[in-house]
Short mmCIF file of all heavy atoms in Angstrom, two decimals:
data_model
loop_
_atom_site.label_atom_id
_atom_site.label_comp_id
_atom_site.label_asym_id
_atom_site.label_seq_id
_atom_site.Cartn_x
_atom_site.Cartn_y
_atom_site.Cartn_z
N ARG A 750 28.50 -18.56 -73.14
CA ARG A 750 27.09 -18.43 -72.60
C ARG A 750 26.15 -18.51 -73.83
O ARG A 750 25.18 -19.25 -73.81
CB ARG A 750 26.94 -17.14 -71.85
CG ARG A 750 25.51 -16.73 -71.59
CD ARG A 750 25.45 -15.41 -70.90
NE ARG A 750 26.25 -14.32 -71.57
CZ ARG A 750 26.80 -13.33 -70.99
NH1 ARG A 750 26.61 -13.10 -69.71
NH2 ARG A 750 27.55 -12.41 -71.65
N ASP A 951 31.22 -20.64 -59.63
CA ASP A 951 32.20 -20.18 -60.58
C ASP A 951 33.59 -20.32 -59.94
O ASP A 951 33.71 -20.36 -58.72
CB ASP A 951 31.90 -18.73 -60.81
CG ASP A 951 32.64 -18.08 -62.01
OD1 ASP A 951 33.42 -18.85 -62.62
OD2 ASP A 951 32.41 -16.91 -62.28
N LYS A 953 36.73 -18.05 -60.09
CA LYS A 953 37.09 -16.76 -60.68
C LYS A 953 38.60 -16.53 -60.89
O LYS A 953 38.97 -15.81 -61.78
CB LYS A 953 36.54 -15.60 -59.88
CG LYS A 953 35.07 -15.54 -59.98
CD LYS A 953 34.45 -14.33 -59.35
CE LYS A 953 32.91 -14.55 -59.12
NZ LYS A 953 32.14 -13.99 -60.21
N GLY A 965 37.22 -13.57 -65.90
CA GLY A 965 35.77 -13.67 -66.19
C GLY A 965 35.22 -14.99 -65.67
O GLY A 965 33.94 -15.13 -65.58
N TYR A 1008 20.42 -12.81 -61.70
CA TYR A 1008 21.62 -13.57 -61.23
C TYR A 1008 22.00 -13.03 -59.88
O TYR A 1008 22.27 -11.81 -59.77
CB TYR A 1008 22.72 -13.34 -62.29
CG TYR A 1008 24.14 -13.79 -61.97
CD1 TYR A 1008 24.83 -14.64 -62.75
CD2 TYR A 1008 24.84 -13.28 -60.84
CE1 TYR A 1008 26.10 -15.03 -62.50
CE2 TYR A 1008 26.14 -13.64 -60.54
CZ TYR A 1008 26.72 -14.49 -61.42
OH TYR A 1008 28.03 -14.90 -61.13
N GLU A 1022 26.66 -9.49 -55.42
CA GLU A 1022 26.17 -8.65 -56.53
C GLU A 1022 24.97 -9.24 -57.18
O GLU A 1022 24.70 -10.44 -57.10
CB GLU A 1022 27.27 -8.46 -57.62
CG GLU A 1022 27.67 -9.80 -58.25
CD GLU A 1022 28.51 -9.67 -59.51
OE1 GLU A 1022 28.71 -8.55 -59.97
OE2 GLU A 1022 28.89 -10.72 -60.02
N ASN A 1024 23.29 -9.62 -61.05
CA ASN A 1024 23.48 -9.35 -62.52
C ASN A 1024 22.08 -9.48 -63.18
O ASN A 1024 21.18 -10.16 -62.62
CB ASN A 1024 24.46 -10.33 -63.13
CG ASN A 1024 25.92 -10.10 -62.63
OD1 ASN A 1024 26.21 -8.93 -62.34
ND2 ASN A 1024 26.73 -11.13 -62.55
N ARG A 1026 21.28 -10.92 -66.13
CA ARG A 1026 21.45 -11.84 -67.30
C ARG A 1026 22.04 -13.14 -66.83
O ARG A 1026 22.40 -13.33 -65.68
CB ARG A 1026 22.37 -11.18 -68.25
CG ARG A 1026 23.55 -10.45 -67.54
CD ARG A 1026 24.85 -10.88 -67.81
NE ARG A 1026 25.81 -10.27 -66.91
CZ ARG A 1026 26.78 -10.95 -66.28
NH1 ARG A 1026 26.87 -12.24 -66.44
NH2 ARG A 1026 27.60 -10.38 -65.52
N PHE A 1027 22.11 -14.11 -67.80
CA PHE A 1027 22.75 -15.41 -67.48
C PHE A 1027 24.23 -15.13 -67.20
O PHE A 1027 24.85 -14.32 -67.80
CB PHE A 1027 22.73 -16.30 -68.69
CG PHE A 1027 21.37 -16.98 -68.97
CD1 PHE A 1027 20.55 -16.53 -69.94
CD2 PHE A 1027 21.01 -18.07 -68.26
CE1 PHE A 1027 19.30 -17.19 -70.21
CE2 PHE A 1027 19.82 -18.75 -68.49
CZ PHE A 1027 18.96 -18.32 -69.46
N GLY A 1028 24.78 -15.93 -66.28
CA GLY A 1028 26.20 -15.83 -65.93
C GLY A 1028 27.09 -16.68 -66.88
O GLY A 1028 26.58 -17.59 -67.55
N ASP A 1029 28.30 -16.28 -67.04
CA ASP A 1029 29.27 -17.03 -67.87
C ASP A 1029 30.55 -17.27 -67.06
O ASP A 1029 31.09 -16.24 -66.61
CB ASP A 1029 29.57 -16.23 -69.18
CG ASP A 1029 30.12 -17.09 -70.24
OD1 ASP A 1029 30.24 -18.30 -70.05
OD2 ASP A 1029 30.40 -16.61 -71.35
N PRO A 1030 30.96 -18.49 -66.78
CA PRO A 1030 30.62 -19.73 -67.40
C PRO A 1030 29.41 -20.50 -66.77
O PRO A 1030 29.13 -21.62 -67.27
CB PRO A 1030 31.90 -20.55 -67.26
CG PRO A 1030 32.50 -20.10 -66.01
CD PRO A 1030 32.09 -18.63 -65.86
N GLU A 1031 28.73 -20.00 -65.71
CA GLU A 1031 27.77 -20.81 -65.07
C GLU A 1031 26.77 -21.41 -65.99
O GLU A 1031 26.37 -22.59 -65.81
CB GLU A 1031 27.05 -19.97 -63.97
CG GLU A 1031 27.89 -19.55 -62.83
CD GLU A 1031 28.48 -18.16 -62.98
OE1 GLU A 1031 28.85 -17.82 -64.07
OE2 GLU A 1031 28.62 -17.47 -61.93
N1 LIG B 1598 30.50 -15.67 -63.83
C1 LIG B 1598 30.30 -14.28 -63.50
C2 LIG B 1598 29.41 -13.49 -64.32
O1 LIG B 1598 28.86 -14.01 -65.26
O2 LIG B 1598 29.28 -12.31 -64.09
#
Side-chain angles (χ1 to χ4, degrees):
R750 164 183 53 206
D951 190 0
K953 288 188 197 265
Y1008 168 123
E1022 64 167 352
N1024 291 330
R1026 38 116 191 135
F1027 282 103
D1029 200 1
E1031 292 94 326

